[in-house]
Amino acid sequence: MSRRAYRGVALAALIFLVVQVGALALVPTFFEQGYQTVEDPSDPTNSLLYIGAIIAMTAFMLAAFKYDLDQLIRLVIVFTSGLLAWYVFAALVPSALVAVGLSAAVALALLVYPEWYVIDAAGVLMGAGAAALFGISFGLLPAIVLLSVLAIYDAISVYKTKHMLDLAEGVMDLRIPVVLVIPTTLSYSILGDEFASDANEVSDGGNATDGGESAAAAGSDTEAETADTAATDAEARDDADADADESDSGERDAFFIGLGDAVMPTVMVASGAFFSEAPSLGFGALPALNLPALLAMVGTFAGFSGLMWAVMKGRAHAGLPLLNGGAIGGYLVGSVVAGVPLVSALGLAPYL
């Protein structure tokens, strides 16, 4: 892997870390402000309802692309970005008017100047806000069910039905924070006609919908294709969900990472921090942080490392099986080390 590719992977890891730390910081404030979205966070059917919403949204987006309603999708995502940004700013700034102004500025920036750093900044806000919201709304069992089912769905949608390929083909040229753009060179831009042309040539990949699905693969030597978690090898293009632009020298100019890859494992981190019986580690800036949440973060990055290793070897993979699996595994290890009974860690105690 080249030095530029290493820089890209490091930047991607940094974004994942910021999303996770941001979600942990927001968890107590979101709860205090009444942002919990369900009456019974321990009810595992909450996860099934959310998964149904993902499938419905996926179908809606595919239909919209089929009937040339691309701009409708763009407006929906931009509005959602502004809404999630408002949740975050309302928790951080004392003035409601300032929070509204800042969130409106995020949405406006996405509309008028969707350069990669604007998309990434909006994606980080969306990711941290969404993960914190889901973290305080999905108890331990619902969170584990959610991540497990989404990991299976991700693999099926990438390797079997391949409907994520069609979704990626439609979404990339919209320049919205459904995917994060990870440049390996500061001169990279997604505003030029060349990027739009490349995005329209997508023949592989999938797309994260509301923080849902994703996959990964490694870089092509001959053409730029775009998708959801990294870059695609030409030999694996039908199995991939991620991709990279490349310069004439063969160096990758950017990776494209699904926002869902950052959000979904972070839901486990936030849920573990909020619902676990384990005591807080007493880290002042992150009062919700406990050992299960910390090791869920470590597990996420273990999965991320394995995913990037496979990506750079030219092997196509769905992203969430590794990322969600790492987060769940790390959370369970952290629970055991913290002395939390496994039945309680799995959220099964109320049912036994």
Side-chain angles (χ1 to χ4, degrees):
M1 186 165 61
S2 70
R3 185 174 299 176
R4 284 174 56 180
Y6 275 117
R7 287 199 296 264
V9 171
L11 178 57
L14 177 62
I15 289 177
F16 270 56
L17 181 62
V18 172
V19 169
Q20 295 198 331
V21 171
L24 282 171
L26 291 170
V27 157
T29 304
F30 274 18
F31 179 71
E32 291 169 4
Q33 296 193 3
Y35 285 174
Q36 199 171 61
T37 59
V38 298
E39 292 185 5
D40 183 7
S42 66
D43 186 354
T45 60
N46 295 333
S47 302
L48 302 180
L49 291 174
Y50 178 70
I51 292 163
I54 288 178
I55 295 173
M57 185 62 181
T58 300
F60 168 73
M61 293 179 71
L62 289 171
F65 290 137
K66 180 179 180 180
Y67 293 104
D68 297 324
L69 298 174
D70 302 38
Q71 292 307 309
L72 175 61
I73 296 297
R74 185 165 188 254
L75 290 175
V76 169
I77 298 300
V78 168
F79 173 78
T80 303
S81 301
L83 181 61
L84 285 170
W86 176 81
Y87 274 102
V88 174
F89 289 130
L92 297 178
V93 298
S95 170
L97 185 61
V98 173
V100 170
L102 290 172
S103 58
V106 171
L108 184 62
L110 287 171
L111 285 174
V112 301
Y113 193 73
E115 186 52 276
W116 65 265
Y117 44 82
V118 174
I119 290 174
D120 288 356
V124 166
L125 282 172
M126 289 179 67
L133 283 172
F134 289 125
I136 64 173
S137 301
F138 286 82
L140 300 173
L141 179 59
I144 292 170
V145 170
L146 176 68
L147 268 65
S148 300
V149 174
L150 284 181
I152 295 169
Y153 175 65
D154 186 25
I156 292 173
S157 66
V158 172
Y159 302 134
K160 187 69 174 177
T161 67
K162 301 182 187 292
H163 64 268
M164 283 299 142
L165 315 185
D166 296 329
L167 199 57
E169 189 172 356
V171 76
M172 280 308 303
D173 59 351
L174 296 183
R175 299 180 178 91
I176 51 179
V178 169
V179 291
L180 304 169
V181 184
I182 313 298
T184 61
T185 173
L186 292 178
S187 63
Y188 182 76
S189 173
I190 66 170
L191 296 179
D193 293 337
E194 183 178 350
F195 173 83
S197 174
D198 290 341
N200 287 329
E201 293 176 1
V202 175
S203 62
D204 56 16
N207 172 55
T209 305
D210 289 342
E213 321 82 86
S214 60
S220 167
D221 291 328
T222 58
E223 60 184 327
E225 303 160 331
T226 313
D228 204 16
T229 300
T232 327
D233 186 84
E235 296 178 358
R237 67 181 56 172
D238 288 333
D239 297 319
D241 162 303
D243 195 17
D245 284 345
E246 297 186 59
S247 65
D248 293 338
S249 65
E251 291 281 355
R252 296 175 185 135
D253 293 326
F255 296 104
F256 298 87
I257 301 179
L259 182 60
D261 286 343
V263 171
M264 296 321 304
T266 305
V267 172
M268 189 73 255
V269 174
S271 179
F274 186 71
F275 290 102
S276 174
E277 300 173 4
S280 170
L281 293 177
F283 189 65
L286 299 173
L289 182 65
N290 55 25
L291 193 58
L294 178 61
L295 289 193
M297 295 175 68
V298 173
T300 299
F301 282 97
F304 177 85
S305 299
L307 184 62
M308 291 298 102
W309 178 83
V311 161
M312 296 306 160
K313 293 293 184 180
R315 301 170 185 172
H317 286 282
L320 291 186
L322 286 170
L323 295 166
N324 288 0
I328 294 171
Y331 160 76
L332 293 176
V333 170
S335 298
V336 171
V337 173
V340 178
L342 193 58
V343 170
S344 298
L346 290 170
L348 295 173
Y351 305 99
L352 298 177

